[in-house]
Amino acid sequence: MVQISLGGLWVLQDAEPEGWGYDDYPSDFAGRTGGEGIYLISGHYAGPVGVTVEVHRSAPEPPRGWEKSAELEGNYPSRVARAWCELLEVDEQLEHIELPAERVRIRVSVNGWSTPPNPGGSPETWLLQVWPAGAA
């Protein structure tokens, strides 16, 4: 689980980030953060969202049964990522995610996402599939 605060922004960021900023907006719910990870925008204002991160050696098959999906690349110089929301405690299962390369492709899938955010909506779940950029 990732706990999100007002606004719903959370990240899968390098464990030792050197910078921050938004430089890519490929979808309405995911993009790159200044070259050191990706940001995600929840369809909920605040609270817990379910997150699963799968790390693969090559591109996995696209999952079935997800309402929204986007693919992007992220750079992780330390080859370790963590999923978290600003100022909130990191779930220990998402604090140290070993990645297969510095530059990775990430497929982001989400169910239960809505806009505008709906505090009383269905539970939101995310699947992040990660593999080396350029791997088939």
Side-chain angles (χ1 to χ4, degrees):
M1 293 294 230
V2 169
Q3 291 289 332
I4 56 172
S5 61
L6 189 62
L9 179 71
W10 60 285
V11 297
L12 181 70
Q13 190 175 28
D14 191 81
E16 300 175 15
E18 295 178 11
W20 180 259
Y22 308 114
D23 66 64
D24 189 18
Y25 301 88
S27 77
D28 55 358
F29 63 95
R32 289 187 314 166
T33 61
E36 290 185 0
I38 64 169
Y39 69 87
L40 303 114
I41 301 172
S42 172
H44 294 280
Y45 283 113
V49 294
V51 177
T52 300
V53 179
E54 296 177 354
V55 178
H56 301 269
R57 292 184 188 269
S58 61
E61 290 292 319
R64 296 176 190 241
W66 291 87
E67 295 167 4
K68 295 178 74 73
S69 185
E71 285 189 21
L72 51 154
E73 288 189 6
N75 192 41
Y76 296 83
S78 73
R79 292 185 60 175
V80 176
R82 64 187 194 132
W84 62 288
C85 180
E86 184 178 13
L87 304 177
L88 296 179
E89 196 170 310
V90 178
D91 183 312
E92 65 183 42
Q93 293 181 329
L94 298 174
E95 188 170 18
H96 187 91
I97 303 165
E98 294 187 25
L99 302 176
E102 284 186 33
R103 187 114 185 119
V104 294
R105 188 92 181 146
I106 304 166
R107 180 181 296 125
V108 178
S109 301
V110 62
N111 281 333
W113 192 90
S114 65
T115 187
N118 180 3
S122 62
E124 189 175 277
T125 55
W126 295 76
L127 171 63
L128 280 61
Q129 295 177 303
V130 182
W131 65 93

